[in-house]
């Protein structure tokens, strides 16, 4: 790996401005894009480690061969905002000034020459400069460089940036004091020093030229809110683009999604120039018959919708084909050949999207009469996460070209490791990137590469970790229904004693039901039930228990009559008294 | 269903269920953007004899493809264009696919084959 040029003197280096989300995906995407673009990217390992560990930073030094390489790289990256060619750096404004003065004229003159237009902007991270402060900083640059061009704020030929990176407080340190000394930072051109930061990495100043901008606009263009056709679980546009990048989708390739749904993954792959093929078990979704937008937006819902129209909306060539098929390994309807260059998919794991496999014995065993087969809707069932993985690996080993990538999303309640994946001989794990979904589970984007049989044989010598088994424990997220307490197993006296102590009118048998009712309210959430409905639930429970108690006891009827008598008695007495008074009054008149 | 898809499909759960015979009820010729790079890549992935067999059974495209893939197919624009037309511009809207092994029928409705 070529060493990264630290400062001016060894030549300019490039500074990459990453976005501050998808923290675990950023470096992997950058490297995948370099792979696709065929550029020689080198990242300082130490800095990359810092970026991963802290996950706060957005600036990363990278080394690339030339500006053309930057253009090729940024034509693909989604998680890179921009790339700058850095001319000067410094730990303070004074150091930066000194560094700018050392920039060789031969390098900077072409960009500052007469007849060109330029603008200068300030980008700061971890500290905010007011417009006045920014102007003051920009004006300070005047005497340092031979500016011969004309200022043009809209669409200039060259954009220069002053970048100030103030490292953030570490999580364990004391909270940073407010930036009270804002005017001090103009005077000394140094942001207010933070009490706790002194020990941390120092503030950095950079001066450079903007050389490339990433494909952030593509994220907005493919936004689900503006898409013609989406379902309840359509894949986020940004993630789908990142997945297409991780799959190294190139122009002219064929990409397959065995669980395509509304074709979220495929649209992203097509946006990078691939032709796509999709399959799904649910026929209406392929025909564009899904009606998911309800409420006021139903008015704005297009009358004409469908996967083909989504592609047309983005000006992409329509999918090469859509299949109504089960993607299970025993029902694979694709011939065994290296048909696809990549498989990118978000399978239905039964967390939000249910059926994943066909469960229709008459159809599968061909017992269905010909006449009925026409309009037959196959019965589908929930497939276990592990089963889907086995199917997916079987498909990838059968139909993926050597060197092609399988990229899929996998929910786990356990920390990810290769041992979670079912056995796979022809696939090598390249990486897995975590997206935290809730306190107890994450979604991982897993990237695997199809290797040759020889590679697989060579790797077989390595000790393979045993398969752990269940990847996703549903019980962790949804507490399973507790077994009804076996009243007979306990001494009835003990049960009665416990009830008396709790002053609970419920008989023993009702206990389990009450518990189950409470669990049902929790179902589907991973946090305790909201307090709001708790009182009503308790009231309902008590009423149910009372009812049960009344009907269960031997003298149910008598007890009920007695209760009616007790409740209505006083009213009857009062009425009788009133009547007696009324009669007396009439008699005396 | 386009013929590019047809060339990849086989009858599920069979050993020799390829290529599927096509029974056409309605067929459309659509226009698609010609991407020579993609078509050239597809040549390696196609089962060319099976494609010829399919083409021979469809009257609209019969005889448009040479019996052999030319040596330098990547530069042979005429061949790539013919292949492009066959693969991407012929859409079978209604009909069915018939498994050669079990004679099972898979319906095609609105251009989507049901491979169940």
């Amino acid at each position: 790996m070529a060493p990264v040029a630290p400062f001016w003197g060894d030549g300019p280096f490039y500074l990459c401005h990453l976005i501050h989300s998808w923290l675990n995906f950023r470096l992997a995407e950058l490297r995948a894009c370099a792979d696709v673009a065929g550029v020689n990217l080198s990242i300082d390992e130490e800095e990359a480690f810092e970026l991963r560990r802290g996950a706060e930073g957005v600036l990363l030094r990278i080394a690339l061969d030339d500006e053309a390489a930057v253009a090729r790289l940024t034509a693909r990256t989604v998680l890179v905002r921009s790339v700058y060619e850095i001319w000067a750096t410094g730990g303070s404004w004074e150091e930066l000034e000194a560094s700018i003065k050392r920039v060789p004229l031969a390098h900077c003159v072409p960009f500052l020459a007469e007849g060109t237009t330029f603008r200068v902007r300030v980008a700061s991270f971890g500290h905010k400069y007011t417009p006045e402060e920014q102007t003051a900083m920009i004006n300070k640059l005047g005497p340092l460089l031979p500016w011969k061009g004309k200022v043009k704020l809209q669409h200039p030929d060259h954009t220069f940036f002053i970048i100030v990176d103030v490292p953030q407080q570490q999580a364990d340190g004391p909270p940073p004091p407010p930036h009270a000394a804002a005017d001090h930072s103009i005077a000394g051109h140094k942001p207010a020093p933070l009490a706790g930061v002194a020990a941390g990495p120092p503030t950095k100043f950079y001066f450079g030229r903007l050389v490339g901008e990433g494909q952030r606009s593509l994220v907005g263009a493919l936004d689900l809110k503006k898409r013609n056709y989406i379902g309840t679980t359509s894949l986020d546009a940004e993630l789908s683009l990142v997945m297409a990048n991780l799959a190294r989708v190139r122009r002219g390739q064929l990409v397959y999604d065995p669980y395509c749904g509304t074709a979220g993954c495929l649209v992203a792959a097509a946006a990078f120039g691939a032709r796509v093929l999709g399959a799904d078990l649910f026929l209406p979704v392929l025909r564009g018959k899904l009606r998911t937008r309800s409420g006021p937006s139903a008015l704005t819902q297009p009358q004409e919708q469908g996967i083909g129209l989504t592609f047309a909306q983005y000006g992409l060539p329509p999918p090469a084909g859509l299949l109504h098929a089960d993607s299970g390994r025993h029902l694979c309807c694709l011939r065994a050949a290296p048909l696809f260059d990549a498989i990118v998919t978000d399978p239905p794991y039964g967390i939000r999207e249910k059926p994943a496999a066909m469960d229709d014995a008459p159809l599968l065993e061909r017992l269905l009469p010909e006449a009925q087969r026409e309009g037959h809707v196959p019965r589908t069932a929930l497939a276990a996460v592990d089963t889907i993985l086995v199917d997916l690996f079987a498909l990838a080993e059968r139909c993926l070209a050597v060197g092609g990538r399988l990229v899929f999303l996998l929910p786990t309640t356990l920390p990810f490791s290769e041992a979670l994946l079912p056995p796979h001989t022809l696939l090598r794990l390249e990486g897995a990137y975590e997206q935290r979904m809730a306190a107890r589970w994450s979604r991982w984007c897993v990237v695997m590469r199809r290797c040759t049989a020889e590679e697989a044989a060579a790797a077989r010598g390595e000790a393979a970790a045993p398969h752990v088994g269940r990847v996703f424990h549903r019980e962790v997220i949804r507490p399973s229904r507790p077994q009804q307490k076996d009243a007979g197993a306990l001494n009835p006296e003990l049960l009665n004693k416990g009830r008396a102590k709790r002053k609970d009118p419920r008989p023993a048998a009702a206990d389990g039901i009450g518990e189950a009712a409470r669990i049902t309210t929790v179902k589907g959430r991973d946090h305790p039930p909201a307090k709001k409905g708790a009182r009503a639930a308790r009231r309902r429970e008590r009423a149910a228990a009372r009812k049960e108690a009344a009907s269960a006891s031997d003298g149910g009827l008598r007890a009920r009559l007695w209760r009616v008598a007790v409740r209505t008695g006083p009213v009857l007495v009062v009425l009788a008294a009133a009547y007696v008074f009324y009669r007396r009054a009439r008699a005396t008149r | 269903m386009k013929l590019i898809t047809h060339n990849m499909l086989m009858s599920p759960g069979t050993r020799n269920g390829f290529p599927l015979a096509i029974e056409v009820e309605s067929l459309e010729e659509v226009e698609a953007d010609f991407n020579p790079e993609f078509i050239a890549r597809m040549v390696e992935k196609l089962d060319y004899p099976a494609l010829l067999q399919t083409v021979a059974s469809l009257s609209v495209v019969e005889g448009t493809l040479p019996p052999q893939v030319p040596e330098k197919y990547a530069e042979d624009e005429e061949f790539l264009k013919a292949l492009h037309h066959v693969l991407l511009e012929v859409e079978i809207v209604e009909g069915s696919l018939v498994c050669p092994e079990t004679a099972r029928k898979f319906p095609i409705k609105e251009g989507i084959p049901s491979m169940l």
Side-chain angles (χ1 to χ4, degrees):
Chain A
M1 184 179 285
V4 179
F7 290 108
W8 187 264
D10 302 317
F13 66 88
Y14 295 102
L15 193 70
C16 197
H17 176 193
L18 303 158
I19 67 160
H20 194 226
S21 58
W22 302 101
L23 302 177
N24 299 317
F25 291 71
R26 299 183 300 181
L27 282 177
E29 200 236 11
L30 190 63
R31 290 200 170 108
C33 289
D35 197 0
V36 174
V39 299
N40 187 13
L41 170 83
S42 55
I43 301 171
D44 187 31
E45 282 305 316
E46 207 169 296
E47 232 176 273
F49 176 75
E50 279 297 315
L51 196 71
R52 267 199 298 270
R53 192 178 62 94
E56 285 292 341
V58 290
L59 296 176
L60 177 73
R61 274 193 306 179
I62 56 171
L64 285 167
D65 292 338
D66 51 15
E67 214 173 305
V70 175
R72 284 213 300 280
L73 181 69
T74 50
R76 282 301 294 259
T77 53
V78 173
L79 302 183
V80 170
R81 225 179 261 288
S82 37
V83 176
Y84 309 100
E85 181 195 64
I86 296 300
W87 288 9
T89 67
S92 67
W93 180 263
E94 289 73 27
E95 273 182 48
L96 183 70
E97 275 189 0
S99 180
I100 292 175
K101 280 180 196 155
R102 286 202 301 274
V103 177
L105 280 181
H107 183 82
C108 61
V109 159
F111 305 108
L112 308 171
E114 227 169 309
T116 60
T117 54
F118 74 93
R119 66 176 166 181
V120 184
R121 301 184 68 178
V122 177
S124 56
F125 306 103
H127 180 79
K128 199 162 182 166
Y129 289 102
T130 61
E132 293 76 35
E133 287 173 318
Q134 292 186 12
T135 318
M137 274 167 114
I138 292 166
N139 287 338
K140 282 258 176 185
L141 286 176
L144 300 175
L145 287 167
W147 304 96
K148 294 272 164 41
K150 230 174 121 189
V151 173
K152 191 180 172 208
L153 294 182
Q154 303 253 319
H155 313 293
D157 296 338
H158 307 297
T159 304
F160 298 93
F161 266 86
I162 299 168
I163 302 159
V164 187
D165 185 18
V166 184
Q168 286 303 290
Q169 195 70 19
Q170 293 300 314
D172 48 351
H179 290 276
D183 42 5
H184 162 77
S185 67
I186 320 176
H189 289 289
K190 195 172 183 179
L194 305 179
V197 159
T203 302
K204 280 183 197 142
F205 285 78
Y206 302 93
F207 175 72
R209 188 170 60 90
L210 180 72
V211 284
E213 284 185 284
Q215 299 299 310
R216 296 298 299 161
S217 58
L218 209 50
V219 178
L222 298 189
D223 190 7
L224 290 184
K225 281 178 271 185
K226 292 178 240 153
R227 192 171 290 181
N228 162 283
Y229 181 45
I230 58 166
T232 46
T233 56
S234 287
L235 186 63
D236 172 43
E238 196 166 11
L239 181 56
S240 66
L241 288 165
V242 172
M243 282 169 75
N245 268 337
L246 288 173
R248 276 81 164 167
V249 172
R250 291 178 175 87
R251 207 179 135 66
Q253 287 190 333
L254 187 64
V255 176
Y256 182 56
D257 182 354
Y259 305 94
C260 74
T262 51
C265 288
L266 297 180
V267 165
F272 288 127
R275 292 302 294 248
V276 297
L277 184 73
D280 205 287
L281 187 54
F282 189 49
L283 189 56
V285 77
L286 296 178
R287 285 195 177 152
K289 294 288 193 297
L290 218 57
R291 295 277 170 214
T292 49
R293 287 178 183 170
S294 56
S297 61
L299 300 172
T300 59
Q301 183 173 16
Q303 290 301 304
E304 289 286 316
Q305 59 168 24
I307 292 173
L309 288 166
T310 302
F311 279 75
Q313 179 190 355
Y314 299 132
L316 301 171
L322 294 173
L323 305 171
H324 176 216
D326 187 300
S327 295
R329 60 195 178 284
H330 304 303
L331 292 167
C332 189
C333 63
L334 296 160
R335 70 185 159 91
L339 299 171
F340 308 118
D341 300 294
I343 297 177
V344 185
T345 188
D346 174 21
Y349 287 113
I351 297 167
R352 287 196 57 208
E353 202 63 80
K354 290 273 157 56
M358 201 159 67
D359 177 29
D360 200 330
L363 185 69
L364 290 181
E365 284 154 28
R366 296 161 198 191
L367 299 172
L368 214 62
E370 189 76 27
Q372 284 180 23
R373 208 177 294 157
E374 187 78 348
H376 182 75
V377 177
R379 202 178 124 184
T380 54
L382 179 65
V385 174
D386 308 73
T387 320
I388 292 177
L389 288 184
V390 172
D391 292 346
L392 204 54
F393 290 172
L395 174 74
E397 294 188 352
R398 184 184 166 103
C399 294
L400 200 56
V402 169
R405 302 299 196 291
L406 165 69
V407 179
F408 61 97
L409 296 175
L410 174 71
T412 69
T413 43
L414 303 169
F416 184 85
S417 74
E418 193 166 0
L420 281 184
L421 301 176
H424 44 276
T425 46
L426 294 176
L427 296 166
R428 301 293 302 270
L429 181 69
E430 267 201 341
Y433 313 102
E434 184 182 17
Q435 183 194 8
R436 197 96 190 153
M437 299 301 274
R440 296 194 186 95
W441 68 287
S442 308
R443 182 160 79 167
W444 295 79
C445 178
V446 183
V447 182
M448 300 183 92
R449 189 174 149 273
R450 168 78 152 80
C451 57
T452 57
E454 292 82 60
E455 266 180 86
R460 208 165 293 153
E462 297 165 21
H467 180 39
V468 170
R470 310 261 313 270
V471 172
F472 192 80
H473 292 261
R474 241 164 264 277
E475 296 75 34
V476 176
I477 293 171
R478 296 178 183 177
S480 58
R481 204 170 248 255
Q483 292 297 307
Q484 196 144 333
K485 273 185 196 159
D486 188 3
L490 272 176
N491 186 333
E493 260 188 51
L494 268 178
L495 274 176
N496 286 333
K497 199 173 165 189
R499 263 205 311 283
K501 212 172 184 179
R502 289 201 307 273
K503 291 189 178 172
D504 192 341
R506 283 176 295 175
D511 256 6
I513 295 167
E515 193 64 33
R518 222 175 295 140
I519 292 297
T520 343
T521 60
V522 180
K523 195 178 171 190
R525 299 183 190 160
D526 52 0
H527 53 82
K531 275 194 174 159
K532 206 174 151 193
R535 193 180 290 173
R538 261 203 308 278
R539 200 163 49 229
R540 270 199 303 278
E541 229 167 76
R542 240 180 283 142
R546 256 201 311 272
K547 215 173 186 177
E548 194 116 340
S551 62
S553 58
D554 284 333
L557 186 63
R558 211 185 304 155
R560 207 176 301 162
L561 280 175
W562 175 242
R563 217 174 308 124
V564 169
V566 166
R567 276 193 199 160
T568 53
V571 182
L572 287 174
V573 167
V574 168
L575 281 175
Y579 181 69
V580 168
F581 270 114
Y582 170 71
R583 289 301 295 257
R584 284 230 183 116
R586 280 194 65 164
T588 51
R589 199 186 294 161
Chain B
M1 188 198 66
K2 296 183 173 69
L3 294 189
I4 185 172
T5 316
H6 174 261
N7 199 263
M8 299 179 202
L9 288 181
M10 68 179 286
S11 176
T14 58
R15 278 187 184 283
N16 306 312
F18 177 83
L20 299 158
I22 305 180
E23 286 179 3
V24 181
E25 277 169 37
S26 80
L27 186 144
E28 254 178 35
E29 284 190 77
V30 291
E31 260 192 43
D33 295 335
F34 177 52
N35 180 350
E37 204 182 332
F38 173 70
I39 300 295
R41 282 184 75 97
M42 276 313 294
V43 173
E44 303 152 23
K45 297 172 183 172
L46 286 175
D47 188 324
Y48 198 72
L51 184 68
L52 284 182
Q53 198 182 324
T54 314
V55 166
S57 72
L58 297 173
S59 56
V60 277
V61 285
E62 202 183 338
T64 52
L65 288 180
Q68 292 288 328
V69 178
E71 285 264 314
K72 288 181 178 171
Y73 59 83
E75 286 110 58
D76 191 344
E77 196 169 334
E78 197 184 325
F79 168 71
L80 291 182
K81 277 205 166 143
L83 194 60
H84 164 76
H85 177 71
V86 169
L87 290 179
L88 291 170
E89 298 192 321
V90 178
E91 174 96 39
I92 294 144
V93 184
E94 305 279 326
S96 51
L97 300 171
V98 186
C99 170
E101 191 179 310
T102 59
R104 210 175 143 209
K105 277 192 176 181
F106 300 99
I108 305 171
K109 289 247 168 176
E110 297 175 32
I112 300 170
S114 283
M115 302 305 295
L116 299 175

